[in-house]
Amino acid sequence: MTYFFETYGCEMNIAESASVEQLFIEHNWKKAENAFVADVVIINTCSVRATAETRIYGRLGFYAGLKKVRNMEPDAKTRSMEKAVDYVNSVGHAVPLTLIVMGCMAERLLKTLQKDFPVVDYVVGTYAKNKFGDIISALESGKTAIEIEEEPVYVFAESSYEQGAFSTFVPIMNGCNNFCTYCIVPYLRGREISRPVSEILHELDILSLRGVKEICLLGQNVNSYHDGDVNFPLLLKKICSYLKETNSSIKWIRFESSNPKDFSDELIDFIAEEEMICKGIHLPVQHGSNNILKAMNRKYTREDYLSLVERIRSKVQDVQLSTDIMLGFPGETDKDFEEVISLMKTVRFESAFMYYYNIREGTPAASMSNQIDTNVKKQRLQSVIDMQLGITSSIMQSRVGRTIPVLVDIVSKDNPNELLGKTSQNERVAFEGKPSLIGSFATVHLDSLNGNTLKGHLVL
């Protein structure tokens, strides 16, 4: 039997899809080439923005049509389903398709999604991922859909390893206690829960056996990690010590996401002294105006953030910062917008994820009366994008001439003679080399900048 995943949203969703995929692999299922030929399709959904859910609704419509073709129903819209028709004709009989929806949207619409979209066979919420083993067994035995009872306890998977990967995510906590007024995450993933240190180290053993070179520790707010008396800086210290003691294949450690209010001096000091910790830090600021930060319930000020940036840069050599910027939050004035511009010019982020505010049903900001006109939001967003592109280009150009270690990822799609990799600062690097280098560290001299990709040559 075969499976196929569609994963939308954050890195946590990517990690959770990978952990569920491990269950299918353990049951000797095979990964399908595409959805047209899969026995089971799993859609891992996102609810952070309404646009993310709108896209999923479109996919559910697509799968309703695909199911009709797979069931040989005569009114199926075959014009958009030619691949499915070809598949059905090639096997000579109808092959049922099972559709499973998981993730944050599944949790939000747990009671209504199946009723509104009968095409969905299973709705698996945030707290029911551990039921996938039962679902797989039912599918293998040919049973009709079984009842999924959700328990109000988040269960971490043993591993989120993706088959063949040498860079992978390691969830260390789930949920959020911050309740930013624009964010639906605390309502869907619940309050913060930290994964025990012993479970994290056990997963590192699994990843080391599979030759993984780099991990990214994941959480909605990794800085607030606590397992007994172990906080996030101490967790990092334990992980680094363990990897060294066991002579692990893992050499680089990243983490995200970080709330600036919990980014301690203890953490800064350890990042500065430990070579295993990558020097690219994602530090979401969201806005540059104290008025808007307060309305967002971010619990830090512009001054707090700038002081934190100064402390990081004064201690961590060769560090580069990236961030999230939200424009057009309710009540944002021209002066507030200018403070965003001012902060970005002061900090000079190497990169930024920039977006404008969208109303998210169920959050306090959705009911705020002073919503911003969409055209104004789009204009402000374009202004910061244009400015950030210039800053990014300038910072990356300053990297040219250096010789640095690069973790080699893949063969370039644009040039089969080139490899692509990333630096400790999470910059993309292209250079000529043999595919046998993929999954290893290479020393590369940076010669030039092409768009947002550094070009270099291998140093032997």
Short mmCIF file of all heavy atoms in Angstrom, two decimals, residues 411 416-419 431-437 458:
data_model
loop_
_atom_site.label_atom_id
_atom_site.label_comp_id
_atom_site.label_asym_id
_atom_site.label_seq_id
_atom_site.Cartn_x
_atom_site.Cartn_y
_atom_site.Cartn_z
N VAL A 411 22.25 18.87 -5.38
CA VAL A 411 22.76 19.32 -6.68
C VAL A 411 21.86 20.46 -7.15
O VAL A 411 20.63 20.40 -7.04
CB VAL A 411 22.75 18.18 -7.71
CG1 VAL A 411 23.13 18.69 -9.09
CG2 VAL A 411 23.68 17.06 -7.27
N PRO A 416 23.80 21.33 -13.20
CA PRO A 416 24.07 19.98 -12.65
C PRO A 416 25.51 19.79 -12.19
O PRO A 416 25.81 18.81 -11.50
CB PRO A 416 23.75 19.06 -13.83
CG PRO A 416 23.87 19.92 -15.05
CD PRO A 416 23.45 21.29 -14.62
N ASN A 417 26.40 20.72 -12.54
CA ASN A 417 27.79 20.63 -12.10
C ASN A 417 28.01 21.34 -10.76
O ASN A 417 29.11 21.28 -10.21
CB ASN A 417 28.72 21.23 -13.15
CG ASN A 417 28.71 20.43 -14.44
OD1 ASN A 417 28.71 19.21 -14.41
ND2 ASN A 417 28.67 21.13 -15.57
N GLU A 418 26.96 22.02 -10.28
CA GLU A 418 27.08 22.78 -9.04
C GLU A 418 26.33 22.11 -7.90
O GLU A 418 25.29 21.48 -8.10
CB GLU A 418 26.54 24.20 -9.22
CG GLU A 418 27.51 25.17 -9.85
CD GLU A 418 27.00 26.60 -9.80
OE1 GLU A 418 25.79 26.81 -9.58
OE2 GLU A 418 27.83 27.51 -9.99
N LEU A 419 26.87 22.28 -6.71
CA LEU A 419 26.21 21.84 -5.49
C LEU A 419 25.70 23.06 -4.72
O LEU A 419 26.25 24.16 -4.85
CB LEU A 419 27.18 21.06 -4.61
CG LEU A 419 27.82 19.82 -5.22
CD1 LEU A 419 28.87 19.24 -4.26
CD2 LEU A 419 26.78 18.78 -5.58
N PHE A 431 28.54 26.04 -5.49
CA PHE A 431 29.92 25.84 -5.91
C PHE A 431 30.02 24.53 -6.69
O PHE A 431 29.18 23.63 -6.54
CB PHE A 431 30.86 25.80 -4.70
CG PHE A 431 30.58 24.67 -3.74
CD1 PHE A 431 31.28 23.48 -3.80
CD2 PHE A 431 29.57 24.80 -2.77
CE1 PHE A 431 31.01 22.45 -2.92
CE2 PHE A 431 29.30 23.77 -1.88
CZ PHE A 431 30.02 22.59 -1.96
N GLU A 432 31.02 24.42 -7.53
CA GLU A 432 31.22 23.20 -8.30
C GLU A 432 31.80 22.11 -7.41
O GLU A 432 32.68 22.35 -6.59
CB GLU A 432 32.16 23.45 -9.49
CG GLU A 432 31.52 24.26 -10.60
CD GLU A 432 32.36 24.25 -11.87
OE1 GLU A 432 33.38 23.53 -11.92
OE2 GLU A 432 31.99 24.96 -12.82
N GLY A 433 31.26 20.89 -7.56
CA GLY A 433 31.73 19.77 -6.75
C GLY A 433 31.02 18.49 -7.12
O GLY A 433 30.02 18.50 -7.84
N LYS A 434 31.51 17.40 -6.63
CA LYS A 434 30.93 16.09 -6.93
C LYS A 434 29.75 15.80 -5.99
O LYS A 434 29.79 16.16 -4.82
CB LYS A 434 31.98 15.00 -6.78
CG LYS A 434 33.13 15.13 -7.76
CD LYS A 434 34.17 14.02 -7.55
CE LYS A 434 35.32 14.16 -8.54
NZ LYS A 434 36.35 13.11 -8.34
N PRO A 435 28.72 15.13 -6.51
CA PRO A 435 27.55 14.80 -5.69
C PRO A 435 27.89 13.98 -4.44
O PRO A 435 27.11 13.98 -3.48
CB PRO A 435 26.67 13.99 -6.64
CG PRO A 435 27.04 14.47 -8.01
CD PRO A 435 28.52 14.75 -7.93
N SER A 436 29.02 13.32 -4.44
CA SER A 436 29.42 12.53 -3.27
C SER A 436 29.62 13.40 -2.03
O SER A 436 29.66 12.90 -0.91
CB SER A 436 30.70 11.75 -3.57
OG SER A 436 31.75 12.63 -3.93
N LEU A 437 29.75 14.72 -2.23
CA LEU A 437 29.93 15.64 -1.10
C LEU A 437 28.62 15.93 -0.37
O LEU A 437 28.63 16.48 0.74
CB LEU A 437 30.53 16.96 -1.58
CG LEU A 437 32.00 16.95 -2.00
CD1 LEU A 437 32.38 18.27 -2.63
CD2 LEU A 437 32.88 16.66 -0.80
N LEU A 458 35.40 25.28 -4.15
CA LEU A 458 35.83 24.33 -3.14
C LEU A 458 37.28 24.51 -2.81
O LEU A 458 38.14 24.63 -3.71
CB LEU A 458 35.57 22.90 -3.66
CG LEU A 458 35.64 21.75 -2.68
CD1 LEU A 458 34.60 21.88 -1.58
CD2 LEU A 458 35.46 20.44 -3.43
#
